[in-house]
């Protein structure tokens, strides 16, 4: 009789442990997310409330991660834009005196000069042209460029999105019908 009671208590304890394990795992993940730590992978098994809650939490954590990544990308883009603007302003300020130097060396080159002096003036003109090319290059980098449009098939666009997001499966609904297609892309 005592053996039966111990066995029943043991089975109940094991069942309680097994039932509470997903809650403990979810609690640890919530704490990790709150502290900004990477989340351990959560396994969703079954269709009970805990599984639904775990699935919703995983989706929320993924959305927060994507939002953080987007925020960091935006900050990086803003910093690069400021750097580009800075280079454009500096380049513009350098070009003004450079144009003046170019004009004066052109005037000097038209004067009667000794061969050595003329060689020095031509050397200065070459360096001014070099600096002009460099500043033009910086100004071109700082200017926004129109996006390059290219043709692509819907299949290649879909495939690139799937590859980009590393989706495991994708369900596509055909508009105007009740047809849907499930694409199963298992991670390799």
């Amino acid at each position: 009789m005592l053996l039966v009671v111990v066995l029943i208590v043991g089975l109940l304890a094991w069942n309680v442990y097994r039932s509470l394990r997903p809650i403990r795992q979810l609690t640890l993940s919530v704490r990790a997310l709150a502290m900004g730590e990477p989340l351990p992978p959560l396994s969703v098994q079954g269709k009970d409330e805990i599984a639904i809650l775990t699935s919703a939490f995983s989706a929320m954590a993924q959305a927060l991660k994507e939002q953080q990544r987007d925020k960091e990308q935006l900050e990086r883009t803003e910093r690069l834009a400021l750097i580009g603007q800075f280079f454009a302003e500096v380049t513009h300020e350098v070009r003004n005196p450079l144009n003046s130097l170019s004009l004066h060396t052109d005037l000097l080159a038209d004067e009667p000069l000794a061969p050595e002096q003329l060689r020095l003036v031509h050397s200065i003109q070459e360096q001014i042209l070099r600096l002009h090319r460099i500043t033009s290059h910086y100004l071109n980098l700082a200017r926004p460029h129109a996006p390059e449009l290219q043709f692509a098939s819907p299949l290649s666009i879909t495939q690139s999105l799937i590859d980009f997001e590393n989706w495991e499966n994708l369900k596509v609904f055909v508009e105007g019908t009740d047809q849907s297609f499930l694409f199963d892309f298992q991670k390799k």
Side-chain angles (χ1 to χ4, degrees):
M1 179 73 165
L2 183 60
L3 183 62
V4 172
V5 171
V6 170
L7 186 62
I8 290 174
V9 170
L11 285 174
L12 282 174
W14 179 75
N15 197 21
V16 167
Y17 172 79
R18 200 180 94 201
S19 297
L20 293 178
R21 187 176 48 198
I23 295 173
R24 188 172 32 259
Q25 186 182 28
L26 186 58
T27 303
L28 292 173
S29 295
V30 168
R31 286 183 184 150
L33 180 66
M35 297 180 81
E37 297 173 1
L39 292 179
L42 294 173
S43 60
V44 179
Q45 298 173 354
K47 295 183 180 181
D48 61 355
E49 291 84 6
I50 299 298
I52 293 169
L53 182 62
T54 301
S55 180
F57 175 78
S58 293
M60 179 193 70
Q62 182 64 30
L64 286 172
K65 186 177 177 182
E66 289 172 7
Q67 185 181 27
Q68 180 64 31
R69 185 187 70 226
D70 292 346
K71 180 183 173 190
E72 289 168 359
Q73 179 64 32
L74 179 63
E75 289 172 353
R76 181 178 180 272
T77 302
E78 288 174 348
R79 281 192 308 270
L80 289 175
L82 284 173
I83 290 169
Q85 183 180 3
F86 171 75
F87 272 121
E89 289 174 10
V90 168
T91 301
H92 181 72
E93 292 301 319
V94 167
R95 285 185 96 175
N96 287 338
L98 197 59
N99 288 334
S100 176
L101 287 172
S102 178
L103 176 66
H104 287 88
T105 54
D106 287 346
L107 291 173
L108 193 57
D110 291 340
E111 295 293 320
L113 298 172
E116 180 62 24
Q117 291 173 328
L118 193 56
R119 188 184 65 75
L120 289 173
V121 169
H122 287 301
S123 176
I124 292 170
Q125 287 175 323
E126 287 174 11
Q127 293 305 314
I128 289 172
L129 286 174
R130 182 174 159 264
L131 287 172
H132 186 68
R133 282 192 301 272
I134 291 170
T135 57
S136 294
H137 178 72
Y138 280 135
L139 282 176
N140 282 337
L141 287 175
R143 288 188 187 115
H145 297 284
E148 293 181 29
L149 302 178
Q150 57 186 5
F151 291 101
S153 72
L155 182 60
S156 69
I157 293 171
T158 304
Q159 185 62 46
S160 67
L161 285 172
I162 291 167
D163 292 342
F164 178 73
E165 291 293 332
N166 289 327
W167 288 340
E168 290 186 26
N169 54 50
L170 170 71
K171 191 167 189 178
V172 177
F173 294 92
V174 179
E175 192 172 324
T177 69
D178 20 299
Q179 291 183 342
S180 66
F181 302 95
L182 179 63
F183 298 96
D184 189 17
F185 300 97
Q186 293 299 320
K187 291 183 180 177
K188 295 175 182 159

